[in-house]
Amino acid sequence: MRCVISVLGKDRTGIVAAVSTALADKGASIDDINQSLLQDMFSMTMLVRLDESVADFNEVQDALTKVGEDLGVQIVIQREDLFQFMYKI
């Protein structure tokens, strides 16, 4: 299953590392990543492939929620098919 992950918050050291580590711990792989910094606001969007034999969507979501709380950033994960449907014109 492919998912879109969005991260937004005040920039600080270790955001990419913490999110990537949480994903790796759950058996997910990053297919694509884009990040930007606007003054002190960090934004990152990732396209990720989940291995549901290792961890399902809810387990990955829970892990990312914990990372977001620890870092003080907002992390949202959406299934790619729902993401595409929401933004279809």
Side-chain angles (χ1 to χ4, degrees):
M1 171 194 309
R2 284 176 27 143
C3 296
V4 177
I5 297 172
S6 303
V7 181
L8 181 64
K10 185 172 168 69
D11 188 36
R12 62 175 285 180
T13 302
I15 296 173
V16 176
V19 173
S20 299
T21 298
L23 291 170
D25 289 347
K26 296 298 180 185
S29 61
I30 299 168
D31 291 344
D32 201 357
I33 184 172
N34 185 348
Q35 61 183 21
S36 63
L37 190 60
L38 299 170
Q39 295 184 6
D40 66 343
M41 290 301 297
F42 176 83
S43 173
M44 177 170 66
T45 305
M46 306 170 95
L47 185 58
V48 174
R49 187 173 312 274
L50 303 185
D51 181 347
E52 294 184 282
S53 68
V54 177
D56 67 18
F57 180 87
N58 292 330
E59 291 175 279
V60 175
Q61 185 176 40
D62 290 346
L64 292 175
T65 297
K66 170 95 172 77
V67 169
E69 290 170 356
D70 292 346
L71 294 174
V73 298
Q74 176 188 25
I75 302 178
V76 176
I77 181 172
Q78 297 175 294
R79 292 173 174 84
E80 182 188 32
D81 55 351
L82 294 177
F83 180 85
Q84 294 289 356
F85 181 76
M86 286 176 45
Y87 295 99
K88 194 173 190 177
I89 296 176

